[in-house]
Amino acid sequence: MVEIASPLGTAFKPGRHGKPDGAPGVIVCERKPATIVQVAAFSGRETAVREALVKAAGLKLNGKPGAGVVNGSRAGFGVAPGRWLIADDKEGLAGSFAKAIAHEDGAVTRLTHGRSVFRIEGPRAEWVLAKLFAVDFSPEAFPVGDAVSTTHHDVFAAIQRVGENAFDLYVFRSFARSFFETLVRAGEEVGCEVKA
Amino acid sequence: MRITCPHCGRRDVAEFTYQGDANRLRPDPASTDQAAWNAYVYDRVNTRGPHREFWQHSGGCRAHLAVERDTATHAILSVSYARDSDTARAGRRP
Ligand SMILES: [Zn+2]
């Protein structure tokens, strides 16, 4: 098992931020999946790749735009037409995908080193995210498992709803520190607990 | 102004990048016809009303899109994947 380093450095300040009283409106932590991998299908091979991916990952991805699945420590979702992002707390998944997906059907790209994942959860998670992204976070428009690809001031973010009040945010690792500070700052109004 | 991406749904225009007039067709890359290249690079009809153009959902799924937009009102009349557009089809060589 590799030891996963965080890009946050001194920007990671555990404890309560902003509104000091009452239960925190949001809890923010850094997730550190040992695998983040993108699978992309070549034109016309979307179904073949998705079926191979479903088998290899054990995630029931139905191919609808933005649809995804959370299964314990493993999660996957569509980020673009014919492209999926899969994260797992264990290593090894990228290797199984590379075996399962034929070279003429698609491409498997390891992104573990290239993305950071932050989880925001709590009763005010939707409210805090709505400050940052022009996306409808209501459960009707954005059910558990689903995901969106969007940006916050040109910082690209893939966001998956992983629970009723919980979201995982995937950002480019070089933007992780700046984005994390923005996220915590947005949470201060409702009381933001940064957890180790 | 909002554009409904066929993959992502309705999003703010800030997530999209304009990629130019979708009415023009690039000459064969091997062509040395100066007039044809000049027309392709410089000539625009400057339409008032419905206009076919390419956009990219650069701040989303990154798909290239063919959009029909009314240049007088900014109303978005239709959106499809650029690969399915008439221009892409016409430009595709066997
Ligand atoms: Zn899109």
Side-chain angles (χ1 to χ4, degrees):
Chain A
M1 181 74 193
V2 288
E3 193 180 319
I4 296 166
S6 168
L8 294 179
T10 54
F12 184 75
K13 299 187 181 79
R16 186 68 175 256
H17 295 255
K19 183 174 164 287
D21 54 309
V26 288
I27 297 166
V28 170
C29 67
E30 186 184 6
R31 297 251 301 106
K32 290 175 184 165
T35 295
I36 303 173
V37 60
Q38 179 184 273
V39 175
F42 296 135
S43 185
R45 306 303 300 155
E46 290 84 355
T47 306
V49 166
R50 185 171 54 78
E51 281 167 0
L53 183 58
V54 167
K55 227 168 143 188
L59 295 172
K60 286 194 182 113
L61 296 161
N62 64 18
K64 282 204 314 221
V69 191
V70 183
N71 188 356
S73 64
R74 186 174 292 183
F77 51 91
V79 283
R83 266 197 283 154
W84 295 268
L85 199 70
I86 314 291
D88 191 25
D89 281 357
K90 291 192 189 70
E91 291 177 81
L93 212 48
S96 353
F97 292 167
K99 279 198 201 89
I101 292 156
H103 291 302
E104 57 274 21
D105 285 345
V108 176
T109 311
R110 291 164 166 86
L111 294 173
T112 315
H113 61 288
R115 299 286 184 276
S116 285
V117 190
F118 303 123
R119 177 164 294 178
I120 178 166
E121 57 189 315
R124 306 306 300 282
E126 278 181 32
W127 169 262
V128 171
L129 288 177
K131 294 187 197 188
L132 304 175
F133 301 98
V135 168
D136 187 351
F137 288 100
S138 67
E140 296 75 28
F142 198 155
V144 174
D146 270 21
V148 297
S149 300
T150 184
T151 49
H152 175 259
H153 287 274
D154 288 341
V155 176
F156 183 81
I159 306 172
Q160 184 179 33
R161 187 180 212 123
V162 295
E164 194 192 339
N165 286 317
F167 299 84
D168 278 357
L169 295 90
Y170 295 71
V171 297
F172 291 144
R173 201 175 176 86
S174 52
F175 289 122
R177 198 175 290 190
S178 156
F179 181 78
F180 185 78
E181 286 178 339
T182 303
L183 184 64
V184 173
R185 192 90 175 83
E188 285 179 358
E189 177 208 358
V190 299
C192 179
E193 181 80 25
V194 174
K195 266 197 347 192
Chain B
M1 184 171 149
R2 291 178 188 146
I3 296 176
T4 302
C5 170
H7 185 264
C8 304
R10 197 159 65 135
R11 297 292 180 87
D12 189 88
V13 71
E15 290 191 4
F16 298 83
T17 311
Y18 183 63
Q19 294 199 312
D21 189 338
N23 296 299
R24 65 212 176 104
L25 198 62
R26 191 171 65 173
D28 186 314
S31 164
T32 55
D33 182 341
Q34 292 285 344
W37 280 108
N38 187 78
Y40 170 70
V41 176
Y42 296 111
D43 290 356
R44 300 288 182 274
V45 288
N46 198 19
T47 306
R48 185 185 190 282
H51 185 240
R52 284 150 35 90
E53 44 203 34
F54 289 125
W55 289 75
Q56 187 189 9
H57 194 191
S58 49
C61 67
R62 307 192 65 80
H64 295 270
L65 307 173
V67 174
E68 197 181 6
R69 178 179 65 99
D70 190 312
T71 58
T73 63
H74 291 313
I76 302 294
L77 308 171
S78 69
V79 187
S80 61
Y81 291 119
R83 61 169 181 253
D84 299 330
S85 70
D86 293 345
T87 314
R89 263 195 264 273
R92 209 167 281 152
R93 282 163 233 287

